[in-house]
Amino acid sequence: PPPLSYASRGMAIAVSCLALRPLQFALSLSRPAAFIAQRCTMASEALTSEEKQRLFGTWRLDTNRSDSIGPCMKIAGAPWIAQWMAGTAAADVVVAPVSNDEVEVTTKTYFRTDTQRFKTSGAKSAAAAYGEGASKSGWWERTPEGACALVQQTTGPGWKSTVHRKVVDSELVATMVTERTGGKTPEQAKATRYHTKLE
């Protein structure tokens, strides 16, 4: 057969591209969920078990250097007495692995003990204690400074709270950012807390 002209070759390529578009569109529908899973996987792949191990243990809050989490709790809808008690109380935080992809964080104060268990794969699970429809998730990531960080995120009705925990100079540094996600008036609160290791 005679060779295709440049015009014919161009037409063939165009038809091939059009034929692939439905497949590309179908794949794009699953991109958000796949992207989140890929982000969590890529972020944790570069981290070693030794790096993660540094975050596990019992840590005591340094109340003199730490911010109150009261403003963060206010955005999340906590009563003022709970804001005051949690914002000023001494606390011990226990970070412990449950499985390869699950971590448990327990906060102990004079008033109460709160335990949060969450997946580190980015998968969401119910967080009924924070209201109907609330969810929690977590993942490992490397910070721009090169530190290993454990991220815990809780989403409630009209708000979202993210806690980044990392070890800096043998201290556990936890940064909480809570923001209002509903309503016309944006609002955000941030608290940084410092902890020394007990065991």
Side-chain angles (χ1 to χ4, degrees):
L4 293 175
S5 65
Y6 287 112
S8 299
R9 289 178 184 176
M11 181 63 71
I13 293 172
V15 171
S16 299
C17 292
L18 289 173
L20 287 174
R21 281 190 177 181
L23 177 60
Q24 293 171 342
F25 175 73
L27 291 174
S28 69
L29 295 178
S30 60
R31 184 175 297 172
F35 175 76
I36 293 173
Q38 184 184 35
R39 183 194 66 176
C40 296
T41 301
M42 292 177 64
S44 61
E45 276 180 354
L47 298 172
T48 65
S49 58
E50 289 78 11
E51 288 179 296
K52 297 177 183 179
Q53 189 70 32
R54 293 186 65 200
L55 279 85
F56 299 145
T58 301
W59 304 84
R60 177 152 295 171
L61 177 69
D62 184 341
T63 55
N64 293 323
R65 299 168 54 216
S66 299
D67 300 327
S68 169
I69 59 173
C72 295
M73 296 179 66
K74 180 180 179 180
I75 293 178
W80 73 267
I81 187 65
Q83 299 172 32
W84 176 79
M85 291 168 63
T88 59
D92 287 345
V93 177
V94 182
V95 184
V98 178
S99 64
N100 289 335
D101 67 342
E102 196 170 23
V103 170
E104 188 173 82
V105 177
T106 301
T107 304
K108 303 177 181 179
T109 67
Y110 295 119
F111 310 105
R112 60 174 300 198
T113 297
D114 177 71
T115 299
Q116 295 291 326
R117 181 178 293 189
F118 54 93
K119 297 286 187 181
T120 56
S121 61
K124 292 185 177 181
S125 58
Y130 295 97
E132 185 178 356
S135 64
K136 56 187 175 183
S137 61
W139 59 88
W140 294 98
E141 69 178 27
R142 188 175 296 284
T143 68
E145 297 78 22
C148 169
L150 175 62
V151 185
Q152 177 184 355
Q153 189 171 88
T154 307
T155 303
W159 59 272
K160 179 175 69 177
S161 183
T162 307
V163 182
H164 286 76
R165 294 183 175 93
K166 61 183 179 181
V167 175
V168 180
D169 296 331
S170 300
E171 286 188 315
L172 179 69
V173 181
T175 303
M176 174 183 287
V177 177
T178 303
E179 56 188 315
R180 192 181 306 282
T181 57
K184 297 181 179 180
T185 305
E187 188 175 0
Q188 185 183 89
K190 179 179 179 180
T192 301
R193 318 255 282 178
Y194 300 90
H195 310 72
T196 55
K197 197 166 191 178
L198 298 181
E199 59 180 71

